[in-house]
């Protein structure tokens, strides 16, 4: 009879284009076309799993329209899931290579394009209750379901029909090199699209429906060579070249073939959610006459709503009572159980989520993936954590720097070894080289207690700054500053995470600095420079809360920072030929001792006003008790400075340095495209305690003066390795107030030893 006709829905893979399947399902439901079975590959498996798990098309649409969704699938972090206490200082890295080190197998490259730590947990959160309600039998989901995965060792297609729904979905979407594979039933599985991207055959074999509706979003990219847009779609083609393209001919007479019009979209256009869903919806509406002819039965929407409600009512609320660990050593298990324990009774999904993301914020544990199981005996969920068995030690190698039209270009290389030998330790090395800046940073971090987030980090830092080597390609009239600085610090940091995004640190260290400078702007090559040497001790107590989304050119989030610093030092000053104290016949070294306190407070925030326009603002204040040193320029070297712009630290601006000041600024950001934006920044600096130059003597003036202005107009293109920016700067009082600069990468330097 017609009303007994069974309908199977097949959803192809296709990356972001698979979001069009949501529109297909939405149109089928609205027109009461039944969906009795569902089979999907890759993104089709994701959409199909949500529908089979009892989510309505509107609910699925709401999930994928959430701005966090794009971050989940592309592996970028969101504030909810970050823990800052484990994060190293920002550096100029463009690209990171992850290696897993194992004594038996040797080093293995482990650098997927997308970080899956968030999506793995989120899929568990959305799908595990449905899996539990079905007894982990996919035939007993609201809609019987199959996820298609590939076993690359035997070159077989697998139709996953039971077990963890999260693992089934995650295996089906494991595009090689984009997501790392995870084990399902002790097998590494990959994206099902490798061998069967349009699994009509699986649908017929497993469910034998009367009618198959096939939604295909993964036909070949172009019938002929796309001369006009080959550059645009090249990355898309390379990423998915090893996935089997769908063959529409597998849809036979009596079945229905749907192909949304999505030629203009790529497999990574996750930000085009609405347009993709609409394309699937429109394709289905266009095919309604054929659908109504071939599918005789109709589904009663009231009965469907009741069935969905009854299925949801069978969900057990998330209450976790047990932790199971797989692939961990005994010491690693002890470490994790300090962080995640059930000594005080069951934990909620919020508590488990917090503990999981705190754990994986440790770089050593980024090879973990979670799974939610269920204990029928006590009626509670079980948190399972899996660690790749070969992940004994992990090594990350970073490459980065900045290429600029001013001679401030740098190249950076870094290495971070994460090792677990009774305790979790991190060893870091970061080196930079260039005409303007050279540095070396060595640090070892001991994670003493994961639950209290207490760590100890001994470190050594060396910086060399040569301000004379900052010629400008666009403006040869710019007069460089004669200043050569070397600063060194050997110390230790004690830190504790006081919240998800907050860190309190106490830093103590020995300082050894050397500055060579001229007291006049124009000097001959044979001039003898003044020399100032500092030997001393610095202690700093600091608090930071940071939710900015980028290390430079941020567009979302906020940052609050405050610190109190104490320095006790001895200065040795040797006048050069530009000093009024210079006596070539009787060179003298002047020694003096100084101790001072410096307090700093800063805050910045970004608020999205419209879909394209974002407004940012900042305020900063600093106060130092430093007393004048032997001369004006020596004193200026150690007073606080205001450096808010991208390249501020490449200038030594005396008009924006003072022992007491307040400053504020605003930032206007306007999006011109997916990765291109224009930024307009304007800042005002008002000193109320400043250093005046009186015949090379440093004199403290007290009282507010006229604000000093600086600003920037920039075009910023966010390339995958790092930003490309074209900036027009205005700096009041600079030798060249207006400057044009083009650069690629990040201008991020170590803090100076006394900062």
């Amino acid at each position: 009879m017609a009303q007994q006709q069974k309908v199977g829905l097949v959803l192809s893979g296709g990356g972001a284009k698979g979001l069009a399947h949501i529109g297909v399902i939405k149109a089928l439901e609205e027109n009461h076309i039944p969906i009795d079975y569902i089979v999907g590959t890759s993104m089709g498996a994701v959409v199909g799993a949500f529908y089979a798990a009892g989510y309505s098309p509107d609910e699925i649409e709401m999930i994928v329209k959430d701005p966090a969704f794009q971050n989940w699938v592309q592996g970028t972090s969101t504030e909810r899931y970050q823990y800052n206490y484990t994060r190293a200082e920002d550096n100029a890295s463009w690209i990171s290579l992850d290696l897993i080190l194992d004594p038996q197998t040797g080093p293995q490259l482990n650098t997927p394009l997308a970080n899956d730590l968030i999506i793995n947990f989120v899929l568990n959160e959305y799908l595990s209750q449905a899996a539990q309600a079905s007894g982990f039998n996919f035939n007993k989901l609201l809609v019987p379901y199959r996820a298609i995965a590939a076993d690359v060792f035997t070159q077989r297609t697998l139709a996953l029909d039971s077990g963890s729904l999260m693992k089934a979905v995650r295996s089906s979407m494991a595009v090689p090199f984009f997501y790392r594979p995870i084990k399902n039933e002790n097998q590494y599985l990959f994206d099902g699209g490798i061998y069967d991207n349009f699994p009509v055959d699986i649908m017929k074999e497993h469910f034998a429906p009367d009618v198959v509706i096939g939604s295909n979003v993964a036909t070949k990219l172009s019938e002929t060579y796309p001369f006009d847009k080959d550059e645009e779609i090249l990355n898309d083609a390379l990423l998915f070249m090893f996935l089997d393209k769908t063959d529409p001919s597998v849809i036979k007479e009596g079945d229905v073939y749907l192909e949304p019009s999505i030629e203009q979209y790529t497999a990574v256009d996750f930000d085009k959610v609405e347009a993709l869903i609409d394309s699937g919806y429109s394709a289905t509406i266009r095919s309604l006459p054929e659908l109504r002819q071939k599918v005789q039965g109709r589904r009663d929407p009231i009965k469907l709503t009741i069935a969905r409600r009854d299925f949801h009512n069978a969900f057990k609320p998330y209450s976790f009572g047990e932790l199971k660990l797989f692939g961990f050593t005994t010491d690693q298990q002890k470490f994790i159980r300090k962080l995640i324990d059930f000594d005080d009774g069951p934990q909620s999904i919020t508590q488990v989520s917090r503990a999981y993301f705190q754990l994986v914020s440790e770089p050593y544990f980024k090879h973990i993936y979670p799974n939610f199981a269920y204990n029928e005996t006590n009626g509670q969920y079980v948190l399972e954590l899996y660690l790749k068995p070969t992940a004994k030690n992990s090594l990350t190698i970073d490459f980065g720097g900045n290429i600029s039209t001013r001679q401030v270009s740098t190249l950076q290389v870094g290495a971070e070894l994460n090792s677990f030998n009774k305790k979790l330790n991190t060893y870091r090395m970061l080196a930079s080289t260039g005409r303007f800046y050279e540095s070396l940073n060595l640090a070892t971090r001991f994670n003493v207690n994961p639950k209290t987030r207490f760590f100890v980090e001994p470190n050594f830092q060396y910086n060399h700054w040569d301000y004379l080597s900052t010629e400008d390609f666009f403006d040869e009239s710019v007069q460089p500053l004669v200043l050569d600085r070397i600063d060194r610090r050997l110390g230790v940091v004690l830190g504790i995470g006081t919240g998800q995004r907050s860190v309190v640190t106490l830093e103590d260290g020995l300082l050894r600095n050397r500055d060579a400078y001229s007291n006049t702007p124009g000097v001959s090559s044979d001039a003898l420079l003044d020399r100032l040497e500092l030997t001393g001790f610095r202690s700093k107590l600091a608090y930071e809360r940071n939710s900015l989304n980028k290390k430079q050119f941020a567009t979302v989030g906020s940052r609050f920072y405050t610190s109190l610093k104490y320095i006790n030092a001895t200065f040795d000053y040797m006048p050069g030929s530009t000093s009024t104290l210079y006596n070539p016949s009787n060179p003298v070294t002047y020694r003096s001792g100084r101790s001072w306190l410096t307090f700093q407070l800063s805050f910045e925030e970004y608020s999205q006003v419209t879909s394209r326009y974002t407004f940012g603002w900042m305020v900063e204040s600093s106060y130092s008790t430093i007393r004048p040193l032997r001369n004006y320029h020596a004193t200026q070297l150690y007073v606080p400075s205001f450096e808010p712009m991208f390249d501020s630290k490449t200038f030594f601006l005396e008009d924006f340095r003072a022992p007491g000041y307040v400053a504020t600024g605003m930032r206007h950001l306007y999006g011109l495209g997916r990765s291109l934006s224009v930024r307009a920044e304007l800042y005002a600096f008002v000193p109320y305690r400043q250093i005046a130059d009186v015949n090379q003597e440093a004199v403290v003036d007290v009282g507010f003066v006229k604000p000093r202005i600086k600003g920037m107009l920039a075009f910023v293109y966010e390339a995958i390795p790092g930003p490309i920016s074209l900036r027009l700067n205005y700096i009041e009082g600079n030798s060249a107030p207006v400057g044009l600069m083009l650069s690629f990468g990040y201008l991020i330097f170590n803090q100076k030893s006394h900062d």
Side-chain angles (χ1 to χ4, degrees):
M1 295 177 63
Q3 62 267 27
Q4 296 175 334
Q5 194 179 37
K6 296 295 184 182
V7 179
L9 177 63
V10 176
L11 306 177
S12 77
K17 294 185 288 185
L19 297 173
H21 296 317
I22 302 170
V24 171
I25 295 173
K26 184 176 182 179
L28 292 174
E29 268 209 7
E30 286 181 358
N31 290 277
H32 315 311
I33 306 295
I35 301 173
D36 297 297
Y37 314 108
I38 195 161
V39 176
T41 295
S42 196
M43 185 54 74
V46 177
V47 173
F50 274 80
Y51 187 71
Y55 291 92
S56 69
D58 288 341
E59 289 172 326
I60 302 173
E61 184 173 2
M62 188 180 302
I63 291 169
V64 300
K65 281 184 176 180
D66 188 318
F69 174 78
Q70 186 174 352
N71 293 316
W72 297 343
V73 294
Q74 294 189 327
T76 54
S77 296
T78 58
E79 180 175 359
R80 175 185 171 190
Y81 302 104
Q82 290 180 342
Y83 277 78
N84 279 0
Y85 83 102
T86 60
R87 196 183 72 178
E89 292 289 330
D90 285 338
N91 61 67
S93 172
W94 300 335
I95 187 172
S96 296
L97 298 178
D98 287 338
L99 296 172
I100 292 177
L101 306 180
D102 183 79
Q104 296 179 346
T105 62
Q108 302 174 35
L109 185 63
N110 188 56
T111 310
L113 294 178
N115 185 324
D116 61 354
L117 293 172
I118 296 176
I119 191 68
N120 290 343
F121 193 90
V122 168
L123 287 174
N124 271 298
E125 193 172 354
Y126 278 110
L127 300 176
S128 293
Q129 288 172 304
Q132 172 274 321
S134 68
F136 299 94
N137 180 346
F138 297 172
N139 285 333
K140 296 182 179 180
L141 291 166
L142 179 67
V143 179
Y145 167 77
R146 298 290 184 269
I148 307 306
D151 175 359
V152 297
F153 294 102
T154 63
Q155 298 188 4
R156 290 187 304 143
T157 298
L158 300 178
L160 305 179
D161 60 3
S162 61
S164 167
L165 188 53
M166 171 270 173
K167 284 186 179 181
V169 171
R170 180 61 180 76
S171 297
S172 185
M173 62 185 285
V175 179
F177 307 111
F178 190 78
Y179 287 124
R180 57 182 175 156
I182 67 171
K183 279 192 172 181
N184 191 340
E185 300 299 327
N186 212 33
Q187 293 178 285
Y188 281 117
L189 300 180
F190 286 87
D191 192 302
I194 294 176
Y195 302 128
D196 194 350
N197 203 40
F198 195 34
V200 174
D201 55 335
I202 301 294
M203 171 63 77
K204 292 182 176 180
E205 177 186 342
H206 281 246
F207 297 117
D210 300 294
V211 179
V212 172
I213 301 173
S215 176
N216 174 25
V217 296
T219 51
K220 53 190 170 184
L221 294 175
S222 180
E223 291 294 335
T224 58
Y225 188 88
F227 291 99
D228 57 338
K229 59 176 183 176
D230 52 356
E231 297 284 351
E232 180 183 345
I233 66 174
L234 178 61
N235 288 338
D236 189 27
L238 292 175
L239 183 59
F240 289 89
M241 66 182 177
F242 32 71
L243 299 186
D244 179 39
K245 298 301 173 282
T246 58
D247 180 5
S249 67
V250 298
I251 293 290
K252 304 303 182 183
E253 187 176 352
D255 297 331
V256 180
Y257 178 72
L258 303 175
E259 185 174 320
S261 301
I262 51 175
E263 297 82 4
Q264 68 272 40
Y265 302 111
T266 74
V268 293
D269 278 338
F270 287 100
D271 57 336
K272 306 296 193 304
V273 175
E274 289 193 33
L276 288 164
I277 293 175
D278 288 345
S279 67
Y281 185 88
S282 299
T284 309
I285 296 299
R286 286 195 300 270
S287 298
L288 272 179
E290 182 184 6
L291 284 163
R292 286 170 173 158
Q293 176 190 358
K294 293 180 177 179
V295 180
Q296 301 301 316
R298 297 291 176 265
R299 171 151 292 167
D300 186 334
I302 296 176
K303 289 183 179 180
L304 177 60
T305 300
I306 292 172
R308 185 171 281 137
R309 183 198 63 195
D310 291 344
F311 187 68
H312 275 263
N313 287 342
F315 287 9
K316 299 292 184 183
Y318 280 126
S319 175
F320 292 82
E322 189 178 355
L323 172 68
K324 288 186 177 181
L325 302 173
F326 301 89
F328 298 87
T329 66
T330 302
D331 288 332
Q332 291 169 348
Q333 291 189 35
K334 289 179 180 177
F335 182 91
I336 295 172
R337 291 186 187 279
K338 284 183 180 178
L339 180 62
I340 307 174
D341 66 67
F342 298 93
D343 295 341
D344 297 327
Q347 294 189 13
S348 67
I349 185 67
T350 302
Q351 292 171 304
V352 167
S353 171
R354 186 182 302 121
Y356 167 78
F357 284 106
Q358 183 178 332
L359 177 66
V360 298
S361 68
E362 297 283 2
Y364 182 85
F365 289 114
K366 62 186 174 184
H367 306 292
I368 283 178
Y369 67 89
N371 183 60
F372 295 176
Y374 189 73
N375 187 327
E376 292 286 353
T377 303
N378 61 19
Q380 293 177 339
Y381 287 88
V382 178
L383 175 63
E384 298 178 344
L385 296 179
Y386 295 80
L387 177 68
K388 192 171 184 178
T390 55
K392 308 299 183 187
N393 298 290
S394 62
L395 176 67
T396 300
I397 301 175
D398 293 318
F399 301 94
N402 181 270
I403 301 171
S404 174
T405 52
R406 279 181 67 219
Q407 295 297 327
V408 294
S409 299
T410 59
L411 292 177
Q412 175 191 286
V413 62
E416 179 176 288
L417 176 65
N418 295 286
S419 177
F420 204 113
N421 185 12
K422 295 189 181 299
K423 295 289 184 182
L424 176 58
N425 302 325
T426 301
Y427 308 89
R428 296 192 187 101
M429 184 280 295
L430 190 68
S432 298
T433 184
R435 291 184 60 183
F436 166 66
Y437 178 69
E438 300 173 316
S439 72
L440 176 65
N441 191 296
L442 304 173
T444 300
R445 180 170 180 151
F446 303 101
N447 294 276
V448 179
N449 189 321
K451 194 153 194 173
T452 60
R453 288 167 271 174
F454 175 64
F455 64 88
V456 179
E457 184 175 298
N459 59 69
F460 169 76
Q461 178 179 295
Y462 166 86
N463 295 316
H464 177 211
W465 320 73
D466 183 3
Y467 289 86
L468 185 59
S469 300
T470 56
E471 291 91 346
D472 194 322
F473 175 82
F474 287 140
D475 189 353
E476 295 181 358
S477 67
V478 175
Q479 191 169 28
L481 181 70
V482 182
L483 172 61
D484 189 274
R485 310 199 70 180
I486 291 176
D487 66 78
R488 289 155 286 201
R489 180 173 68 232
L490 176 64
V492 62
V493 179
L494 307 179
I496 188 168
T498 57
Q500 182 178 348
R501 310 308 304 267
S502 306
V503 183
V504 174
T505 54
L506 175 63
E507 304 178 31
D508 292 304
L510 301 175
L511 312 182
R512 182 72 183 257
N513 298 354
R514 189 274 296 160
D515 293 281
Y517 59 91
S518 168
N519 293 284
T520 57
V523 295
S524 61
S525 58
D526 59 352
L528 180 65
L529 299 180
D530 286 25
R531 189 179 178 94
L532 182 71
E533 296 182 352
L534 175 151
T535 304
F537 169 83
R538 188 209 68 169
S539 183
K540 181 169 77 170
L541 179 65
Y543 170 83
E544 180 183 27
R545 187 187 187 282
N546 189 347
S547 64
L548 298 178
N549 63 331
K550 298 174 185 175
K551 49 192 175 183
Q552 284 193 315
F553 297 125
T555 58
V556 174
S558 64
R559 178 180 182 265
F560 174 81
Y561 177 83
T562 185
S563 66
L564 179 63
K565 176 178 63 182
Y566 170 75
I567 293 180
N568 187 298
T570 298
F571 290 91
D572 289 324
Y573 171 65
M574 290 141 277
S577 57
T578 63
S579 171
T580 57
L581 300 176
Y582 179 61
N583 185 349
S585 61
N586 184 26
V588 177
T589 297
Y590 298 90
R591 170 167 288 191
S592 59
R594 290 287 188 277
S595 61
W596 70 93
L597 291 168
T598 301
F599 173 75
Q600 185 179 1
L601 178 71
S602 65
F603 179 77
E604 60 181 298
E605 183 178 41
Y606 294 88
S607 300
Q608 188 169 359
V609 180
T610 70
S611 60
R612 287 184 176 269
Y613 172 63
T614 297
F615 176 74
W617 66 282
M618 63 88 63
V619 63
E620 181 174 302
S621 181
S622 187
Y623 179 83
S624 176
T625 64
I626 188 171
R627 292 180 289 118
L629 300 178
R630 183 57 60 172
N631 70 1
Y632 169 76
H633 284 91
T635 307
Q636 284 283 60
L637 293 171
Y638 288 95
V639 300
S641 59
F642 179 56
E643 300 169 331
M645 297 194 305
F646 175 80
D647 53 349
S648 283
K649 292 184 184 296
T650 65
F651 298 95
F652 190 93
L653 302 171
E654 295 178 359
D655 286 345
F656 292 87
R657 308 175 73 89
Y661 69 82
V662 291
T664 188
M666 58 181 175
R667 297 159 177 165
H668 302 274
L669 288 61
Y670 189 80
L672 300 177
R674 179 173 174 179
S675 302
L676 181 65
S677 64
V678 61
R679 298 176 69 101
E681 303 181 1
L682 184 64
Y683 304 95
F685 172 86
V686 183
Y688 57 85
R689 191 169 178 267
Q690 58 185 325
I691 303 297
D693 183 357
V694 179
N695 208 20
Q696 294 190 5
E697 292 274 340
V699 176
V700 178
D701 284 346
V702 178
F704 286 96
V705 298
K706 179 183 175 183
R708 298 160 188 172
I709 305 298
K710 65 168 67 173
M712 176 186 81
L713 179 65
F715 290 91
V716 181
Y717 179 78
E718 293 289 352
I720 292 176
I724 301 171
S725 59
L726 177 64
R727 304 180 308 283
L728 183 68
N729 286 352
Y730 172 77
I731 303 174
E732 183 179 350
N734 196 23
S735 61
V738 179
L740 185 66
M741 184 174 174
L742 175 67
S743 67
F744 162 68
Y746 299 97
L747 272 174
I748 299 177
F749 310 104
N750 291 331
Q751 279 193 337
K752 297 181 175 67
S753 65
H754 56 279
D755 284 344

